[in-house]
Amino acid sequence: MNELNKMRQYAGIINESRYGNKFDNFKTPFKNDGKKIYDGSGNYVCECSNIEFARELAHILSDIRKMREICEKFMTLPKN
């Protein structure tokens, strides 16, 4: 039970991040168009210094979004 409480605490930290609400406005998957990154709805996210960095950042943002969705589901589990 102690491990479950630790996991719930970590999930809460991810969901209550400083940029959480702003980040939730963007939809997956994130894509790069040259140096620019867009979300799944075509909203502009940012521009990177080179194409390789933009490609990696798009993958990272997609992974973070998936982690946040998993943590949101975990936080809604009963506390028994």
Side-chain angles (χ1 to χ4, degrees):
M1 191 57 141
N2 191 22
E3 294 299 317
L4 185 63
N5 288 334
K6 283 183 183 178
M7 289 176 67
R8 190 180 305 276
Q9 179 183 6
Y10 294 140
I13 290 169
I14 292 172
N15 278 345
E16 296 172 8
S17 69
R18 180 172 142 176
Y19 302 105
N21 293 333
K22 294 178 185 177
F23 188 62
D24 286 341
N25 293 326
F26 297 108
K27 306 298 177 204
T28 54
F30 290 90
K31 301 174 252 180
N32 72 301
D33 180 21
K35 295 180 181 180
K36 296 181 180 180
I37 297 178
Y38 296 93
D39 72 348
S41 302
N43 297 324
Y44 173 78
V45 179
C46 66
E47 185 171 350
C48 298
S49 57
N50 59 49
I51 295 171
E52 292 81 21
F53 181 62
R55 187 177 301 126
E56 282 297 316
L57 186 57
H59 289 295
I60 290 169
L61 290 173
S62 294
D63 289 345
I64 290 173
R65 184 73 173 141
K66 290 176 191 173
M67 285 184 353
R68 283 181 53 82
E69 289 171 359
I70 291 169
C71 288
E72 287 171 5
K73 290 178 183 176
F74 190 82
M75 293 299 294
T76 59
L77 292 174
K79 293 185 178 185
N80 298 2

